[in-house]
Amino acid sequence: MKVLVGFPPTQSPLGTPLLSQNRQFQYFEKPTFLYPVVLGTAATMVKKAGHEVIWRDAIAEDMNWDEYDEMLEKEKPDIFLFETKAPVVKKHWKSINHMKEKFPNMKIVICGDHVSYLPRETLENSKVDYVINGGYYDFAFIDLVNWINEGKGGAPEGVWYRKDGEIVENGRFEFHKDSERDINDAPFPDRELTKYMDYQDEFNLKGRPQFYIMSARDCAWGKCTFCVWDHALYPKGAYKQRTPENTFAEVKHLVDNFGAKEIFDDAGTIPPGKWLEKFCNLMIESGYNKKVMYSCNMRFGWVDREMYKLMKGAGFRLLKYGLESGCQKTIDKLDKGVDVSKVFEHCKDAKDAGLVCHLTMMTGYPWETKNDAMKTFNLAKKLMTAGLVDIHQSTVVMPYPGTPLYEEAVREGWLRFEKDDYEKLAMDQPAMKTIEMSPEEVQGLCKLNYRIYLDPKYIWQHAKSRIKSWEDIKYTFEGLTAVFGHMRDFSRKPERKGDKELLTEEQVERMLANLHNPRQDLVAIKAGAKEPIPHRKIEEVEAKLPVVQ
Ligand code: SF4
């Protein structure tokens, strides 16, 4: 069979959509295309099974519909697999209908976090042939291709479709206890087939060529209430990690065959403990710690000082931490499991070991006051000007369907738009009302956070400790261009629906009297939970807040 994998044209006047390998969707003025690891694995699995595979990513290749149609006309694929997310799902419904109109024999398969949460919706609203439910869509897709090819047996698990005009619900793809396959059976993505050179512009990574891999899907913590991948793609029980040996073998493959200079491990958080120790030792004993830089997502408090040193010795360079907020009340509400008062210490331990710290933070939480948001700004500024954090990224929190945050936002009436106005979750404007900040003020705080890069103390820290070569100057320049791009991204005018669009007094009262984590409701209704878990009262939380200057 001839199988097409990639992305259809998804243009917007708002900019270039960051669809691949992005937990948070955003339109960027200065785009970076991240390598879609699971989609790349899906293409590779199908090729290894003996099918002809074409990889065309219209976003990274900047193709318009005329060019894409021409390509489809020429290639005539039997099946097309692509990934979607909430902010562009409606656009993709139209794209599917357009393609089905012109190429009715081509089977269209869609996957991703939004359709995993609402598989039926896409079947009802478009002429799509199959929807894959779950984050192991590479495994589900090869099963589907084989099923279509052989034409016998039942539909593979996790594949939803239509039969005799009725939607057939088919669960979620899972590795069962008696399954003959596991995540280590996934092949390393075929980087040539999937055009790795189209994905080299992630400015936070220094080495070129750079590669994305995933040692786990997705994060062993998996609780943060805004995290769409860890609720819609890899919910509780679906987390799987590769062995350290299997992950190291891919590192070796990328260095030996492609001259990889930096690898970013995009597991939601790199597996900690014995796993990490083993992986570091494999890097050190093999000497690959000297051949490639390794960067990854990290959680505060996940590893200790000694482990940071071992990681540095193993070739680790950059650690990306989700700080999300400098306010403990927000951290608790998000179920982030981080002690804000320890953030300094963790960053210092990582820096002392010689690692680069990258923070991500958000603003625009419904319960967030200006004072709370300034705590985030002040903490980030203090860390950056003290030389403990090198890079930060600031965004507006988005309640993606499938997350506890979305459920709560819908239930409590926090959304600025209708609950299925998914295109409004594109981060070009806040999607939720807050206690006291207007949408413009929320965006202004994002821009303010980016201004930390222009603080003379930060510039001095950066010049003194990080500019050592021509490469570093280039890296700094790319970073600075991206910072100005982000500031422009958050300068877009939000649509206005009312005066300041704040939460009503009643909503605020309800929120403050009941500042609990929505997950607790879920725990309380679980079989075996006799007592509902009491909600934490705001005074209780406030009393524990650390003092941040
Ligand atoms: S730590 Fe990161 S990846 Fe893990 S659940 Fe929280 S936001 Fe998601």
Side-chain angles (χ1 to χ4, degrees), residues 154-165:
E157 185 183 48
V159 175
W160 293 43
Y161 60 106
R162 261 182 238 95
K163 192 176 175 192
D164 305 326

Side-chain angles (χ1 to χ4, degrees), residues 23 218-231 266-269 297-300 302 320-322 324 334-338 360 362 519:
R23 289 167 178 80
D218 179 50
C219 167
W221 177 256
K223 295 181 186 180
C224 308
T225 60
F226 60 88
C227 183
V228 68
W229 278 20
D230 285 82
H231 287 94
D266 201 27
T269 310
N297 295 312
M298 179 52 84
R299 280 175 53 73
F300 289 115
W302 209 234
K320 199 169 178 181
Y321 296 89
E324 322 311 355
L334 296 175
D335 212 352
K336 189 79 201 171
V338 163
T360 59
M362 298 192 283
R519 176 177 299 278

Side-chain angles (χ1 to χ4, degrees), residues 459-530:
I459 295 172
W460 169 241
Q461 281 292 350
H462 184 79
K464 175 174 85 159
S465 55
R466 282 165 232 139
I467 300 193
K468 302 218 161 62
S469 64
W470 174 240
E471 281 295 294
D472 293 335
I473 295 175
K474 258 174 49 194
Y475 176 62
T476 301
F477 183 73
E478 279 177 34
L480 209 57
T481 321
V483 165
F484 286 119
H486 292 322
M487 287 171 85
R488 280 193 296 274
D489 290 333
F490 289 109
S491 299
R492 296 175 184 129
K493 245 188 143 18
E495 285 171 45
R496 290 315 300 258
K497 300 194 127 188
D499 187 14
K500 272 192 103 182
E501 288 191 71
L502 302 179
L503 295 169
T504 63
E505 262 176 45
E506 195 199 325
Q507 284 171 315
V508 172
E509 202 178 313
R510 198 173 143 81
M511 180 193 287
L512 294 185
N514 205 14
L515 193 76
H516 69 284
N517 187 310
R519 176 177 299 278
Q520 292 175 343
D521 292 338
L522 300 177
V523 171
I525 56 167
K526 255 179 137 182
K530 292 195 187 97

Side-chain angles (χ1 to χ4, degrees), residues 370-391:
K370 278 181 209 159
N371 191 29
D372 295 336
M374 286 310 289
K375 282 182 186 163
T376 309
F377 169 78
N378 288 333
L379 178 58
K381 185 173 170 186
K382 205 168 166 186
L383 287 162
M384 289 183 79
T385 52
L388 296 180
V389 164
D390 307 79
I391 310 165

